[in-house]
Amino acid sequence: MRFRVLFTLFIAVFCLICTPAKAQSNDWRTYLEQLAEEELDESTVENMFQELSMLENNPMNLNTVSREQLERFPLLTYEQASAIIDFLEKNRPVYTVFELRNVSYLDFNTVELILPFFFVGEMEKERPSVNEMLKRGRSEVQFRFDKTLNQRAGYGEFSDSILQRFPNRKYRGEDFYTSLKYSFAYRDKIQFGLLGEKDAGEPFFRKNYPKGYDHYGFHLIVRDVGKLKTLAVGDYRLSFGQGLILNKNFMLSKAWATNSIIRRTEAPKRHFSTAENGFFRGAAAVFGFGNINITTFYSNKRFHANLSADGEITSFKIDGYHRTPGEMEKKNNAREQVTGINVNYRKDGLQVGISGIHHKYNRMYQPTVQEYNYYYLRDSSNINASIDYSYRLNRLSFAGEAAIAKNGAVAATNMIQYAPSNLLSLSALYRYFPISYNAMHAQAFSETSRVQNESGLYVGATFSPISKVSITSYIDVFRFPWVRSQVDKPSSKGMEVYLLGTYTVSRNSGFELRYRYKQREQNARYPDENSRTVLPYNTQKIRLRYNNTLNNGWNFRTTLDAALYQQKHFQRETGWMLSQNIGYRGNDKVSGDFYAGYFKSESFAARLYSYERNILSTFYMPSFYGEGMRVAVSGRYNITSRLSFSAKIGHTRYFDRETIGSGTDLIDGNSRTDVFTYLRWRF
């Protein structure tokens, strides 16, 4: 009965939104939401948001922008950045940002997406003094406060005797999340920032916990001072080559790699995310000598780890939680020093780089021996070196990297990309990561998170076969030579197929069909047997969506998601979700969204995600299984042109259970309500 009522409501809304409308904007925030839907981790999307928000407030002058600035811009691929700079070098001075539409490598949607980040100014580069930059720069304060209204088990009352026996049953802090950020920027020449953050359950200025926030961060970035192209102090991220020895920057999903598969060595960028890992803390510098850039860096950073009885590191604690005594004793209990260098030569379309990195822990790294981690690094230090290259010839690009570890293992990746027109882009990548290759700061294109024990071939394409239709597709075939966690046999294999088709009804509305099929192998146990075996399984995810924006600023998004999971010889498990988002952007003062969804899933393996709009700077994508409903309301009010307040409340109700979660996160009830708030002041 409840589904029939909900379905009728959805049909009514769908009929309502199929009316004439105005052109819809290609907003970069919507673009980030689409990235988040491709299962990117939250810290990656948050870092991109912080960087794009800074660039929007400090746009680049098309008449003075450099190749390095364009290559740092997250929304441009290597080929697009090169095409823009080639166009500008031939046509400067330009008189309007709309001249970007004449760049042959950019389609209409890309131009619309990047326009807010550019302006047209004088040809001569500004050389303001430090005092002028400090006076003309822009500051921003961000405050966030989130709270779950339902009490979780970890916040309950326990007797002293119980806590003496089970000290980790109770969180030591308050039941809210909060963070505070301050940043200053003058264009991209100077960036400075401070942040503090605590997770729900972590103590905040309590007795015996006087430091306030659980995590603090700081950064200072200075650019273009003579031969010094970039100086970073504090928390920063950087990457060399294709990421085989070092990558702390953005790593996009396979779906977004079809036309941006080639990476490049990037200058240090600020780390302004509240994530407590995935960055360096120290100093880095880039020096330019004609066609040669030299990047050098040093990091000395404490980190969280699980230790053995002998004080050796057995694994890394990366969730950032320090709520119970057990979690607190793992906070900053180890230290790592990292240093490295990259020498990069570039001329015309050719780029060649040589890199080296050395890191050292203050404790022995000794993972608990399991068959799958037999070839993991077991040492207190490691050294990696690599050679990377890229070459662009008109619309054809090649790139690759070969790297070596301390033990002599060699990893390699090579790729090619060809875009004969704006309507077609083809890419292919092959990677080979031996079982004995270890690079603790590597992050490259791969099926798993480790650059180890994998080989594979990826082929992708983006094309427009007919007017108003765009298709993005890829196939990735991979193999794991050695055993893996939950896979007790060597030489397991898998494949992934992806298809995204969009049909643009008009500039304001369109349909989207997304299909993903993934097959891998994992351990399985038959009900009547004690022994384990390895069986293939597949997961299929399907999404059908309709978007429409009306003349008065209202926009509608109707989505049907389905998930199917099946392991060989076992019954198929299914799940589906129907959701509706209604948004309003027709007023400079007020904007908001309403989201409602009904889900029904037979298991965790067939879980579904809520792709709902979030408040500024947050990307919360909860997953669901079982049967229930999700409702969320969010809004933003611009108090002044410089001060805004955002809030969101989300409520989930399950129809098939009496409790939610487990352990210290257990909620005694079938519903959960979360509140998110965000205050932003620019001056």
Side-chain angles (χ1 to χ4, degrees):
M1 178 65 183
R2 68 171 71 96
F3 172 69
R4 185 176 302 171
V5 173
L6 183 67
F7 184 76
T8 302
L9 175 63
F10 273 86
I11 293 298
V13 172
F14 186 83
C15 292
L16 172 67
I17 64 182
C18 294
T19 58
K22 68 172 184 178
Q24 77 180 39
S25 62
N26 292 298
D27 182 56
W28 63 266
R29 294 171 179 83
T30 302
Y31 175 83
L32 284 193
E33 290 176 359
Q34 294 171 346
L35 285 180
E37 291 184 6
E38 292 296 341
E39 302 177 8
L40 284 182
D41 65 276
E42 185 176 340
S43 63
T44 295
V45 182
E46 184 186 354
N47 273 321
M48 288 190 70
F49 173 86
Q50 297 294 343
E51 188 163 339
L52 291 172
S53 181
M54 185 278 297
L55 288 172
E56 184 181 43
N57 292 329
N58 298 274
M60 295 171 278
N61 182 0
L62 283 177
N63 281 322
T64 60
V65 68
S66 67
R67 182 183 297 271
E68 288 79 9
Q69 287 177 287
L70 291 175
E71 290 184 350
R72 288 196 299 266
F73 186 34
L75 298 182
L76 292 176
T77 67
Y78 171 77
E79 292 78 8
Q80 289 171 338
S82 298
I84 291 175
I85 204 66
D86 289 347
F87 171 82
L88 293 175
E89 288 176 350
K90 295 176 182 177
N91 295 279
R92 278 173 174 159
V94 295
Y95 299 99
T96 170
V97 292
F98 295 103
E99 291 190 45
L100 287 173
R101 293 175 177 172
N102 297 322
V103 180
S104 60
Y105 218 105
L106 303 182
D107 58 23
F108 178 83
N109 289 333
T110 302
V111 173
E112 293 291 299
L113 183 67
I114 66 175
L115 281 180
F117 302 95
F118 296 97
F119 77 102
V120 171
E122 298 297 327
M123 278 286 292
E124 292 188 10
K125 292 187 177 182
E126 293 182 283
R127 298 189 182 277
S129 66
V130 173
N131 287 336
E132 288 177 318
M133 288 190 285
L134 294 177
K135 183 179 179 180
R136 294 158 58 184
R138 300 184 180 184
S139 294
E140 180 174 288
V141 175
Q142 304 174 48
F143 175 75
R144 181 177 160 191
F145 180 91
D146 306 340
K147 181 179 172 63
T148 299
L149 301 185
N150 312 79
Q151 179 170 300
R152 286 168 283 183
Y155 300 105
E157 296 297 328
F158 299 91
S159 65
D160 292 341
S161 60
I162 290 293
L163 290 180
Q164 189 172 2
R165 293 179 59 194
F166 308 103
N168 295 318
R169 281 192 178 180
K170 182 176 179 60
Y171 294 145
R172 294 304 191 254
E174 301 82 0
D175 61 348
F176 60 83
Y177 169 97
T178 185
S179 66
L180 179 65
K181 294 181 177 182
Y182 168 77
S183 64
F184 171 86
Y186 174 75
R187 303 205 182 279
D188 67 340
K189 305 303 181 186
I190 295 181
Q191 299 173 35
F192 170 78
L194 298 166
L195 68 85
E197 181 251 16
K198 90 161 202 79
D199 293 300
E202 295 174 343
F204 188 58
F205 286 113
R206 282 196 168 192
K207 185 179 179 181
N208 300 324
Y209 305 101
K211 293 184 178 180
Y213 291 104
D214 174 72
H215 171 68
Y216 289 93
F218 154 79
H219 71 263
L220 172 65
I221 306 290
V222 178
R223 293 194 173 97
D224 299 330
V225 182
K227 297 292 185 182
L228 179 63
K229 290 196 169 185
T230 303
L231 173 67
V233 178
D235 300 342
Y236 62 91
R237 299 172 287 111
L238 77 164
S239 64
F240 292 164
Q242 303 302 319
L244 294 192
I245 69 171
L246 174 61
N247 180 17
K248 296 292 186 183
N249 273 323
F250 314 125
M251 195 69 204
L252 299 184
S253 67
K254 294 179 183 179
W256 295 92
T258 54
N259 58 3
S260 59
I261 201 167
I262 295 177
R263 299 187 58 82
R264 52 194 180 261
T265 294
E266 296 187 23
K269 297 180 179 180
R270 66 176 187 169
H271 176 79
F272 202 39
S273 164
T274 54
E276 298 180 31
N277 57 82
F279 64 95
F280 291 126
R281 176 165 287 173
V286 181
F287 298 92
F289 304 95
N291 293 329
I292 297 177
N293 283 349
I294 299 176
T295 303
T296 183
F297 74 95
Y298 172 75
S299 173
N300 190 329
K301 178 172 173 282
R302 299 182 69 89
F303 63 93
H304 323 312
N306 297 304
L307 304 180
S308 68
D310 298 327
E312 297 176 331
I313 301 170
T314 58
S315 61
F316 305 105
K317 187 181 189 305
I318 61 174
D319 59 14
Y321 292 134
H322 306 107
R323 304 163 297 184
T324 64
E327 292 177 343
M328 290 176 182
E329 69 181 14
K330 300 172 184 178
K331 180 180 178 179
N332 292 332
N333 57 358
R335 182 182 295 276
E336 181 190 38
Q337 297 185 70
V338 189
T339 186
I341 187 171
N342 170 268
V343 180
N344 191 276
Y345 172 80
R346 173 176 293 173
K347 186 174 182 181
D348 299 327
L350 175 67
Q351 174 270 321
V352 179
I354 301 176
S355 307
I357 180 175
H358 173 265
H359 74 90
K360 183 176 179 61
Y361 303 125
N362 67 337
R363 300 174 181 270
M364 187 69 174
Y365 178 55
Q366 194 72 252
T368 304
V369 178
Q370 303 284 343
E371 189 176 15
Y372 74 87
N373 68 15
Y374 181 80
Y375 291 97
Y376 281 18
L377 177 71
R378 285 178 170 80
D379 204 334
S380 61
S381 65
N382 193 32
I383 298 175
N384 295 95
S386 74
I387 298 176
D388 69 274
Y389 73 94
S390 65
Y391 182 69
R392 185 172 68 93
L393 180 62
N394 295 325
R395 291 178 170 267
L396 180 65
S397 299
F398 305 88
E401 184 176 13
I404 187 169
K406 182 179 179 180
N407 60 5
V410 176
T413 184
N414 290 279
M415 59 215 69
I416 183 172
Q417 186 164 321
Y418 179 54
S421 72
N422 292 338
L423 302 178
L424 175 62
S425 177
L426 304 171
S427 58
L429 177 146
Y430 177 76
R431 70 259 191 199
Y432 169 71
F433 309 146
I435 58 177
S436 57
Y437 180 76
N438 285 284
M440 305 304 286
H441 294 283
Q443 186 183 20
F445 186 102
S446 61
E447 169 62 16
T448 63
S449 59
R450 296 182 67 90
V451 181
Q452 183 182 35
N453 187 32
E454 179 179 333
S455 61
L457 176 64
Y458 168 96
V459 178
T462 297
F463 59 99
S464 180
I466 58 175
S467 176
K468 298 186 177 183
V469 174
S470 175
I471 295 176
T472 297
S473 181
Y474 70 78
I475 180 169
D476 188 34
V477 181
F478 42 85
R479 177 177 170 271
F480 309 108
W482 187 243
V483 300
R484 302 178 61 249
S485 178
Q486 303 299 317
V487 184
D488 289 347
K489 76 167 189 177
S491 298
S492 63
K493 57 185 181 298
M495 68 176 296
E496 183 174 2
V497 178
Y498 176 90
L499 176 68
L500 169 63
T502 61
Y503 173 67
T504 303
V505 179
S506 64
R507 287 188 60 190
N508 61 278
S509 63
F511 288 92
E512 174 187 310
L513 175 63
R514 189 174 308 199
Y515 174 77
R516 176 183 276 112
Y517 172 90
K518 179 178 285 190
Q519 178 180 304
R520 287 174 61 168
E521 297 176 271
Q522 70 177 10
N523 293 339
R525 192 187 302 274
Y526 294 111
D528 56 345
E529 294 183 8
N530 293 324
S531 61
R532 290 187 303 194
T533 186
V534 176
L535 295 175
Y537 73 92
N538 68 74
T539 302
Q540 300 179 68
K541 294 186 178 181
I542 307 167
R543 179 185 308 148
L544 178 62
R545 172 176 290 171
Y546 177 73
N547 294 283
N548 197 6
T549 301
L550 305 183
N551 284 316
N552 53 12
W554 290 91
N555 59 79
F556 300 84
R557 185 178 70 189
T558 307
T559 306
L560 175 63
D561 284 290
L564 300 91
Y565 172 87
Q566 184 169 28
Q567 190 164 32
K568 188 177 181 180
H569 304 313
F570 287 83
Q571 187 175 357
R572 173 179 289 177
E573 302 165 14
T574 61
W576 61 273
M577 184 173 188
L578 182 63
S579 62
Q580 177 68 54
N581 192 94
I582 303 174
Y584 178 70
R585 302 289 185 275
N587 189 300
D588 292 336
K589 282 282 188 181
V590 179
S591 61
D593 287 276
F594 170 77
Y595 174 93
Y598 172 84
F599 58 88
K600 188 172 185 179
S601 174
E602 297 176 350
S603 68
F604 178 78
R607 63 191 178 278
L608 301 135
Y609 290 86
S610 169
Y611 301 110
E612 60 198 59
R613 293 280 171 86
N614 290 279
I615 61 175
L616 202 64
S617 88
T618 63
F619 297 89
Y620 177 63
M621 298 287 180
S623 62
F624 308 103
Y625 68 97
E627 183 182 8
M629 288 190 65
R630 170 72 175 177
V631 178
V633 179
S634 63
R636 183 175 70 179
Y637 177 65
N638 295 324
I639 303 170
T640 69
S641 60
R642 298 177 180 271
L643 181 64
S644 66
F645 176 74
S646 303
K648 173 182 175 180
I649 182 167
H651 178 79
T652 305
R653 179 174 295 273
Y654 290 90
F655 306 137
D656 61 344
R657 68 193 67 178
E658 298 301 323
T659 61
I660 301 174
S662 61
T664 50
D665 279 332
L666 179 71
I667 294 174
D668 186 15
N670 69 338
S671 65
R672 170 174 172 160
T673 303
D674 300 285
V675 175
F676 308 85
T677 62
Y678 178 80
L679 184 69
R680 185 184 189 187
W681 179 33
R682 292 178 290 180
F683 56 96

